[in-house]
Amino acid sequence: MAQKGNIGVTTENIFPVIKKFLYSDHEIFLREMVSNAVDATQKLKTLAERGDFKGELGDLTVRVTLNAEEGTLTISDRGIGMTEDEINKYINQIAFSGVTDFLDKYKDNANAIIGHFGLGFYSSFMVSKKVDIITRSYQDGAKAIKWSCDGSPEFEISDADKADRGSDIVLHIDDDCKEFLEKQKIQELLNKYCKFMAVPVAFGKKTEWKDGKQQDTDQDNIINDVEPLWTKAPSTLKDEDYKNFYRTLYPMQDEPLFWIHLNVDYPFNLTGILYFPRIKSNIELQRNKIQLYCNQVFVTDQVEGIVPEFLTLLHGVIDSPDIPLNVSRSYLQSDANVKKISKYITKKVADRLAAIFKDDRKDYEQKWDDLKIFINYGMLSQDDFYDRAKDFALLKDVDGKYFTYNEYKTLIKDNQTDKDGNLVYLYANDKEGEYSYIEAAKNKGYSVLLLDGQLDTPMVSMLEQKLEKTRFTRVDADIVDRLIVKNDSKESELVKDDKDSLTETFRSQLPTMDRTEFYVDVQALGADNLPVLITQSEYMRRMKEASKYQAGMAFYAQMPDAFNLVLNSDHPLIKGVLDGEKQECGSQLSPVDSEIKGLEARLAVLHQSQSAKKPEEITQEEKDDVKNTEQSIQEQRTKRADIIAAYAKGNKVVHQLIDLALLQNGMLKGAALDSFLKRSVDMIK
């Protein structure tokens, strides 16, 4: 006899809630349906193992069947099935009480609704206009029954014709969800959510190429591996097994560096395999490659906040029954078991890296360039990982040699300590582009590190805080003699007027570049050093680079790049430029310089006479006198600068030296580079 009734819920509009607020995550219904079928099958196997079921288990494959013509998707199992009483208990009574603020709290989170309120089965109504359950319990004498519901609180139970135990869940796909009647879509979802479930799951038949087309065979198309690699004992596996499994997970990825096989049963249950990928330049492209499972059922691959930030760069699988299956990521992040798992994985990763470093340092060094960004990310984001990693983190110099932090400190402490007791770590970002600066440092006996990684700028700042009395300086941040100041530097012997003339000569011919400023400095560097070189402030350059990573530093990003053009007053070419300027411009500059000195002397007298007076005692005439004198000085200085600029404009050596310095720093391009090449040819004819 047919039974009719209302599903026991505390709100009449449960189905609109399911349809509306689960819709953004509607594909999850298939995982729920197949998971329920697998659970029913596993329960039967358990009953058989305990002797509570004495019948033949037979074929336990869960089958997913698509009938596009009838508009149905059916999930069938040969598990324990249900009696009418169990239908009433597990299907008709939804644990859906305490719904205060329900919509506000869960409207954006399908997993949270399903997990909190036992709605796994009812997620089927996200895509269905009607759902039928045709089921027969494994118990002796059980009869087959059919449960039907059209998406309202009303249901109907009637007798059914089903000879075998188990359940068939028939989803009548809604008109607005027709994509779930496409074979390719269902195959995609099964591959995503059910790939490693513990019971065989079949979707259609395997195909073969025959008579010029793909045709079905008699062999079931099993979409899952019931014993994935992480469920097996590591002692039974070879390296090739791990590599093959990685190819299964990530078909288009390069071979991993190495892996960690996790197998824990206390204080929580956890299995899995984590792979260290060959991370390229962009860490953002490497995220979300860890798949989270609960008893081989896919939970999520959005693991940020679930595992530590830097571990999101790893690839692989984590499986734990202690991870709630049907909950939101925010819920996972706050779950106590998940936090324990996260901490454990961090420790295992550090222990594995330490062991590889200790057991085969040569192999570890060969892999360092790929490992570096991962380890640096961990050290930057977690203090506890820094404490573990500082003993196996490496520094690489420009000659390709590797050092631990302590080894490198020992190497440079005698020669690279400045007069204030600071240990100075010199580094380059571009071995080729900064070649001459590197060579100058090496000629002084200094060691130079190569820091060309994506995270090296923040790493430098962190190490300066972690390592006592330590400073990092790029080799082009200053002239080599001032990179590590060990005593007072030698002052140029040029008088102020000569320094000013040299400064103006070169400054007047510097190119105008977008968002770039040049400053000219005259230093006595020795006759054997370069006549001109360009340096860049370590502080400003680092602040600009840090602005790419840190919020609130946009101010530095907007500032122009500032460079120093350093003139070596000891070099014959610079001396020649100065001598030429004196020879060609001396007669023009002499009366101007005399006029400037006279005006400056007059201005000094005016200031001195007025300094003894109160502001209100100074007459307007006296104020105007000061203003006019200052204006006259500026006019004479402008006249002087114009005279020097005219000389510099026609001086090929000045232009050649500037262009050589720009070329050395990769700043000479386009028309300027073309002019340099033509001038070079002319000068050597």
Side-chain angles (χ1 to χ4, degrees):
M1 178 179 293
Q3 172 192 346
K4 293 185 178 182
N6 286 338
I7 296 168
V9 296
T10 58
T11 177
E12 286 294 310
N13 61 355
I14 171 134
F15 290 101
V17 167
I18 291 173
K19 293 286 285 187
K20 179 178 180 181
F21 293 109
L22 301 191
Y23 192 79
S24 64
D25 230 358
H26 55 311
E27 67 180 31
I28 208 167
F29 83 93
L30 190 58
R31 183 191 75 178
E32 297 302 312
M33 297 300 100
V34 178
S35 294
N36 287 347
V38 169
D39 287 345
T41 306
Q42 294 284 65
K43 288 175 182 177
L44 186 70
K45 290 168 67 175
T46 301
L47 291 172
E49 291 169 1
R50 295 192 334 206
D52 295 333
F53 172 69
K54 302 186 184 301
E56 290 293 327
L57 289 176
D59 182 10
L60 296 179
T61 302
V62 172
R63 299 182 184 280
V64 179
T65 307
L66 186 64
N67 190 326
E69 292 182 3
E70 295 185 6
T72 61
L73 182 66
T74 302
I75 298 91
S76 304
D77 68 72
R78 297 185 66 250
I80 60 174
M82 287 183 285
T83 64
E84 187 171 338
D85 287 342
E86 288 169 336
I87 285 277
N88 278 313
K89 180 177 181 181
Y90 298 119
I91 302 298
N92 293 337
Q93 295 296 323
I94 301 174
F96 199 66
S97 57
V99 291
T100 304
D101 298 325
F102 171 78
L103 299 185
D104 288 339
K105 188 172 185 181
Y106 296 108
K107 64 183 180 182
D108 296 323
N109 203 321
N111 280 342
I113 300 175
I114 293 170
H116 279 84
F117 299 107
L119 294 179
F121 165 72
Y122 277 91
S123 65
S124 60
F125 284 96
M126 289 189 287
V127 300
S128 307
K129 56 189 174 185
K130 179 184 177 183
V131 178
D132 299 326
I133 302 175
I134 303 168
T135 184
R136 180 172 181 171
S137 174
Y138 74 97
Q139 299 173 22
D140 292 338
K143 66 177 183 178
I145 58 173
K146 179 180 180 180
W147 176 95
S148 295
C149 180
D150 63 1
S152 70
E154 296 180 357
F155 67 87
E156 181 176 334
I157 296 179
S158 59
D159 293 339
D161 182 16
K162 181 175 173 60
D164 200 4
R165 68 172 189 266
S167 300
D168 300 324
I169 312 298
V170 184
L171 311 183
H172 299 264
I173 302 301
D174 212 339
D175 294 338
D176 58 357
C177 297
K178 292 298 185 183
E179 70 265 31
F180 298 111
L181 292 175
E182 298 172 6
K183 182 178 180 180
Q184 184 176 351
K185 180 67 173 179
I186 299 302
Q187 182 73 44
E188 173 192 323
L189 296 182
L190 289 172
N191 187 62
K192 177 178 180 180
Y193 290 109
C194 309
K195 191 172 185 176
F196 300 112
M197 285 187 175
V199 172
V201 178
F203 178 54
K205 299 294 183 179
K206 287 188 175 180
T207 62
E208 65 179 9
W209 189 259
K210 189 176 181 181
D211 298 331
K213 60 180 180 179
Q214 287 291 128
Q215 297 186 16
D216 287 344
T217 65
D218 294 331
Q219 190 176 359
D220 285 334
N221 176 37
I222 303 298
I223 58 91
N224 60 319
D225 179 358
V226 298
E227 292 185 350
L229 206 68
W230 73 82
T231 64
K232 300 176 182 179
S235 59
T236 67
L237 301 173
K238 300 178 180 179
D239 287 356
E240 196 56 35
D241 295 321
Y242 289 103
K243 292 176 182 178
N244 287 336
F245 184 61
Y246 187 78
R247 294 186 198 108
T248 299
L249 294 173
Y250 316 104
M252 304 303 292
Q253 295 287 327
D254 294 336
E255 189 173 284
L257 296 169
F258 46 83
W259 48 85
I260 302 173
H261 196 136
L262 305 167
N263 195 347
V264 188
D265 54 20
Y266 182 83
F268 45 78
N269 292 307
L270 175 72
T271 55
I273 302 171
L274 293 179
Y275 292 90
F276 288 77
R278 296 180 184 274
I279 297 176
K280 304 303 180 185
S281 60
N282 192 342
I283 63 177
E284 296 303 320
L285 298 179
Q286 304 295 325
R287 297 179 186 275
N288 297 332
K289 298 296 179 67
I290 294 179
Q291 300 174 11
L292 215 55
Y293 287 79
C294 175
N295 287 327
Q296 296 175 229
V297 179
F298 179 81
V299 179
T300 183
D301 58 6
Q302 303 291 314
V303 297
E304 294 101 324
I306 300 170
V307 301
E309 180 77 9
F310 75 100
L311 291 182
T312 62
L313 299 182
L314 293 181
H315 296 178
V317 170
I318 298 172
D319 190 342
S320 174
D322 295 319
I323 295 176
L325 175 59
N326 289 320
V327 293
S328 67
R329 190 169 68 181
S330 60
Y331 185 89
L332 280 170
Q333 291 170 3
S334 62
D335 183 81
N337 285 322
V338 172
K339 289 182 178 179
K340 291 177 184 176
I341 290 171
S342 174
K343 188 173 183 180
Y344 169 80
I345 294 172
T346 301
K347 181 179 182 301
K348 286 290 290 183
V349 167
D351 290 347
R352 172 70 166 148
L353 289 167
I356 293 172
F357 174 71
K358 181 179 179 181
D359 296 342
D360 192 345
R361 174 161 176 173
K362 183 177 180 180
D363 181 60
Y364 183 87
E365 289 182 355
Q366 290 175 346
K367 294 174 177 175
W368 174 252
D369 288 346
D370 289 297
L371 281 174
K372 173 183 171 181
I373 195 170
F374 168 80
I375 294 175
N376 285 354
Y377 195 8
M379 297 173 80
L380 285 164
S381 57
Q382 284 199 210
D383 282 341
D384 59 340
F385 186 76
Y386 173 86
D387 293 337
R388 295 177 184 275
K390 67 181 187 296
D391 294 329
F392 55 76
L394 299 180
L395 296 170
K396 176 183 175 181
D397 71 10
V398 292
D399 296 321
K401 297 178 182 178
Y402 296 89
F403 307 87
T404 65
Y405 291 172
N406 283 334
E407 288 169 350
Y408 196 71
K409 179 180 179 180
T410 301
L411 175 73
I412 67 171
K413 66 179 181 180
D414 291 337
N415 196 35
Q416 291 182 213
T417 301
D418 68 14
K419 65 179 183 179
D420 298 319
N422 296 306
L423 194 59
V424 182
Y425 289 66
L426 299 179
Y427 69 94
N429 296 138
D430 181 350
K431 190 164 69 170
E432 298 302 322
E434 296 156 25
Y435 177 82
S436 60
Y437 297 95
I438 294 170
E439 289 302 300
K442 290 170 70 173
N443 289 337
K444 293 278 288 186
Y446 298 152
S447 172
V448 181
L449 295 172
L450 180 61
L451 301 181
D452 58 355
Q454 187 179 359
L455 296 178
D456 280 330
T457 295
M459 273 298 294
V460 161
S461 298
M462 183 195 72
L463 289 174
E464 286 179 331
Q465 297 176 18
K466 295 283 189 181
L467 305 177
E468 185 179 359
K469 295 203 76 174
T470 294
R471 175 166 55 85
F472 280 74
T473 300
R474 203 166 81 174
V475 286
D476 61 349
D478 210 331
I479 59 175
V480 67
D481 289 332
R482 292 198 309 209
L483 288 173
I484 304 174
V485 179
K486 298 183 178 181
N487 46 51
D488 293 334
S489 59
K490 174 188 173 185
E491 290 293 332
S492 173
E493 297 177 357
L494 294 181
V495 296
K496 182 179 181 302
D497 285 350
D498 287 346
K499 280 187 176 182
D500 290 345
S501 293
L502 270 178
T503 298
E504 189 58 47
T505 298
F506 281 84
R507 180 166 54 203
S508 67
Q509 303 308 304
L510 282 168
T512 300
M513 296 184 182
D514 186 42
R515 298 174 58 81
T516 302
E517 292 182 356
F518 288 99
Y519 301 92
V520 180
D521 187 22
V522 180
Q523 295 289 329
L525 308 180
D528 294 332
N529 283 318
L530 291 173
V532 179
L533 72 158
I534 292 175
T535 64
Q536 188 177 17
S537 163
E538 173 76 12
Y539 174 79
M540 287 304 300
R541 180 182 50 76
R542 202 187 298 181
M543 289 302 101
K544 287 177 70 67
E545 290 178 358
S547 67
K548 302 174 185 176
Y549 304 95
Q550 299 180 28
M553 296 189 67
F555 167 75
Y556 289 102
Q558 301 304 315
M559 295 183 68
D561 292 320
F563 297 94
N564 293 316
L565 184 78
V566 182
L567 309 178
N568 180 5
S569 60
D570 291 334
H571 197 280
L573 286 174
I574 298 299
K575 290 182 177 180
V577 169
L578 181 60
D579 290 343
E581 179 261 319
K582 289 180 178 179
Q583 183 176 349
E584 289 192 26
C585 305
S587 59
Q588 294 175 276
L589 290 176
S590 181
V592 175
D593 288 338
S594 297
E595 182 68 16
I596 290 174
K597 289 179 180 179
L599 289 169
E600 286 177 340
R602 173 174 172 73
L603 184 62
V605 171
L606 292 175
H607 281 313
Q608 185 176 7
S609 66
Q610 293 179 13
S611 64
K613 299 180 180 180
K614 295 179 181 179
E616 61 270 18
E617 295 175 343
I618 301 175
T619 66
Q620 185 61 44
E621 183 179 358
E622 290 174 318
K623 292 178 181 178
D624 290 342
D625 201 358
V626 169
K627 181 179 179 181
N628 293 334
T629 303
E630 290 174 339
Q631 184 174 339
S632 296
I633 292 173
Q634 186 57 48
E635 290 172 353
Q636 291 300 313
R637 286 176 177 168
T638 300
K639 186 176 180 179
R640 187 180 197 278
D642 289 342
I643 294 170
I644 293 175
Y647 157 74
K649 184 177 181 180
N651 190 305
K652 290 184 178 181
V653 173
V654 171
H655 289 278
Q656 197 74 355
L657 291 175
I658 291 174
D659 286 352
L660 283 169
L662 293 171
L663 184 66
Q664 180 188 17
N665 288 269
M667 301 168 71
L668 191 66
K669 301 175 183 178
L673 177 59
D674 185 62
S675 296
F676 166 76
L677 294 174
K678 291 177 179 177
R679 187 189 321 114
S680 299
V681 172
D682 289 341
M683 292 179 71
I684 59 177
K685 281 182 179 179

